[in-house]
Amino acid sequence: MPLSEHEQRLLDQIERALYAEDPKFASAVRASDPRNRARRRLWQAGVLFVIGISCLFAGVINTRLGVIVGVAGFLIMFGAAVLAATSWKRMNGREPLRVVGTDRPARSRPRKPSLLDRMEQRWRRRDDNRGR
């Protein structure tokens, strides 16, 4: 529903007052697009992944501390991959909805019955069909 002219003027007036009072906060609020942060995190994940590969290769080449450096490189690569995957989800708007006031994700679809539940339903239908 679009704002009325009066509401739009009030909103513009509040925005100008905010810029005049605290320009740093106003610019931070205006520039806080989650997709921009997700893109920046994707770039950071790419750089971390390259650092991890470098550490992994250095661990292969180095005979003295090779295992430690190699494992550290692998862990850095793994962390970068997780960071990239979560950032990709956020950038594409696939972040799960959360229940208000909790960290529990909201279920948008009904839960699919487990394998045991389906087998039990089949068994009951089988017994029902036999009794007829």
Side-chain angles (χ1 to χ4, degrees), residues 10-125:
L10 284 175
L11 188 61
D12 291 338
Q13 186 180 17
I14 291 170
E15 186 177 353
R16 282 193 303 271
L18 179 63
Y19 271 113
E21 188 175 312
D22 194 359
K24 186 185 264 188
F25 174 72
S27 65
V29 169
R30 186 173 265 260
S32 65
D33 184 13
R35 290 175 294 188
N36 289 337
R37 278 185 271 157
R39 283 188 202 108
R40 187 171 37 249
R41 290 183 78 178
L42 272 174
W43 277 103
Q44 292 171 351
V47 170
L48 276 175
F49 195 81
V50 169
I51 291 171
I53 286 177
S54 301
C55 288
L56 187 66
F57 285 146
V60 169
I61 293 171
N62 191 350
T63 57
R64 192 168 168 202
L65 296 174
V67 174
I68 295 170
V69 175
V71 169
F74 175 77
L75 291 176
I76 291 171
M77 286 171 48
F78 182 74
V82 169
L83 179 66
T86 57
S87 296
W88 184 262
K89 282 184 182 179
R90 287 182 183 161
M91 191 171 67
N92 290 328
R94 293 186 199 150
E95 187 172 350
L97 298 174
R98 302 276 179 203
V99 174
V100 176
T102 66
D103 289 334
R104 188 172 52 94
R107 295 197 182 265
S108 58
R109 290 182 241 152
R111 198 184 79 164
K112 182 180 176 183
S114 68
L115 177 64
L116 290 175
D117 291 337
R118 289 182 293 184
M119 288 176 66
E120 188 175 330
Q121 287 174 357
R122 288 179 190 161
W123 184 260
R124 287 182 183 159
R125 281 192 303 239

